[in-house]
Amino acid sequence: MDGCLPGWMSDTCSVPCPEGTFGPNCNETCSPNCYDAFKCRRTNGNCKYGCAAGFQGLHCNSTCDPGFYGSVCMNRCGFCGNRSVCHHVSGFCPTGVGCLAGYLGVKCKTLCPAGTFGDNCSVACGSCDGQCNWEDGACQFGCLPGWKGKQCNAPCDDGSFGRDCSEKCGYCYNMSLCDPLDGYCPKCIPGFVPPYCKEPCKLPQFGSRCPLGMWGLNCDNKCGRCSGRYCSRINGSCTYGCEAGAMGPTCEENCTRGFYGENCVDECGRCNVTNSSTFVCDPVSGRCPSGCESGWVVKTVEMTF
């Protein structure tokens, strides 16, 4: 005879293999990598309860495939530096290689904390709308108002504002004063309405929201004594001339002595003037406050003989 069947021993082949051995005449030793070390089936050596962490196969003599580790080799390795393979039992990354950008921990499975990215998560994200990419810091959902660029770390240029600096400022008095967040301007150039300086001041008949009779910087200047109160939204000049008693481009001057009426184009009559008189005739109506000169009468202004 050639000895005993697998799993048995002794001259009569009636004694089962001792624990930890298997095969014909019990000449082979169970794998130390069995889940319960050295406990295998006495006939074929298969581990009774599977393999210890990091091993696979019926006899548990093979380590996990590259990129896997742990119990039943079901766990994937983390993001080890240099694309290295983790330890087949613990899943730890090799000493000295660290983690790929964006990851932390001995297994390199922990993403960078919010607001950080890069090697060892040592770089702060820019002004992203949400978390930046853990590897390269790119802002995946755009920038917060006032910032631009792939990593949202560049402020808006003068004259732009909003998300990704995609909006244009209005007609600010100084573009550098345009708020990069919401486009607010502390002052407008003459002719535009604050606070965003995008809506022009217009004459009332064209539907402007600027109050009737206002013009210029921030529309806070009052028109002069313009006819109908209509004046230029840019420089305040009176569009339809002056009211009676006023003159000049903005109708803020009184009539020159001796003249009256709209735009002060009418000459006073032969009014009786004293040295104390401030004007010859009423600058609005043209009436002579002290009567007429000798030889002249009211209204007819004709000489009598």
Side-chain angles (χ1 to χ4, degrees):
M1 293 181 63
D2 296 326
C4 301
L5 292 173
W8 300 91
M9 61 180 293
S10 80
D11 293 340
T12 60
C13 296
S14 58
V15 178
C17 290
E19 188 172 77
T21 63
F22 72 97
N25 299 310
C26 306
N27 289 329
E28 298 189 59
T29 302
C30 295
S31 171
N33 301 320
C34 292
Y35 181 75
D36 196 347
F38 298 106
K39 288 186 178 181
C40 65
R41 299 189 182 280
R42 66 176 187 266
T43 55
N44 56 17
N46 292 350
C47 293
K48 289 182 179 181
Y49 309 112
C51 302
F55 295 89
Q56 61 182 339
L58 294 176
H59 290 186
C60 301
N61 288 326
S62 300
T63 58
C64 296
D65 293 334
F68 293 86
Y69 74 97
S71 178
V72 202
C73 296
M74 291 293 292
N75 299 315
R76 287 186 177 273
C77 291
F79 297 86
C80 302
N82 300 326
R83 304 287 177 184
S84 303
V85 175
C86 70
H87 191 275
H88 62 283
V89 176
S90 66
F92 292 176
C93 291
T95 302
V97 302
C99 303
L100 292 177
Y103 295 90
L104 291 172
V106 292
K107 294 182 180 180
C108 297
K109 285 191 169 186
T110 303
L111 286 169
C112 289
T116 63
F117 74 97
D119 293 335
N120 300 313
C121 303
S122 58
V123 186
C125 293
S127 298
C128 304
D129 186 3
Q131 171 63 34
C132 69
N133 181 279
W134 288 280
E135 295 183 18
D136 61 9
C139 294
Q140 303 169 82
F141 306 106
C143 303
L144 291 173
W147 299 90
K148 66 176 184 175
K150 180 181 178 182
Q151 296 181 343
C152 299
N153 51 12
C156 291
D157 296 327
D158 287 350
S160 63
F161 73 97
R163 283 179 56 87
D164 301 310
C165 303
S166 59
E167 298 188 59
K168 291 184 177 180
C169 295
Y171 293 90
C172 300
Y173 189 74
N174 183 337
M175 282 299 182
S176 66
L177 299 178
C178 171
D179 192 305
L181 300 182
D182 61 6
Y184 174 87
C185 294
K187 287 186 178 181
C188 306
I189 64 172
F192 289 88
V193 181
Y196 300 106
C197 307
K198 288 190 172 184
E199 180 183 354
C201 301
K202 295 180 180 179
L203 293 177
Q205 62 266 39
F206 295 124
S208 172
R209 295 179 184 175
C210 194
L212 176 65
M214 307 299 290
W215 69 276
L217 183 63
N218 297 331
C219 298
D220 57 6
N221 297 310
K222 290 184 178 181
C223 294
R225 287 175 285 166
C226 303
S227 178
R229 297 179 66 194
Y230 296 114
C231 71
S232 167
R233 65 183 175 84
I234 300 299
N235 57 23
S237 61
C238 293
T239 309
Y240 303 114
C242 302
E243 293 179 348
M247 60 181 287
T250 59
C251 299
E252 294 177 305
E253 303 172 41
N254 292 323
C255 289
T256 303
R257 181 179 172 86
F259 291 86
Y260 75 97
E262 292 184 358
N263 301 308
C264 301
V265 296
D266 297 315
E267 190 173 358
C268 295
R270 303 299 295 266
C271 300
N272 183 26
V273 181
T274 64
N275 291 334
S276 61
S277 300
T278 57
F279 49 81
V280 174
C281 65
D282 185 284
V284 176
S285 66
R287 292 182 179 276
C288 297
S290 301
C292 303
E293 287 182 359
S294 178
W296 296 83
V297 297
V298 176
K299 292 185 179 180
T300 62
V301 292
E302 293 179 354
M303 182 177 289
T304 60
F305 294 92

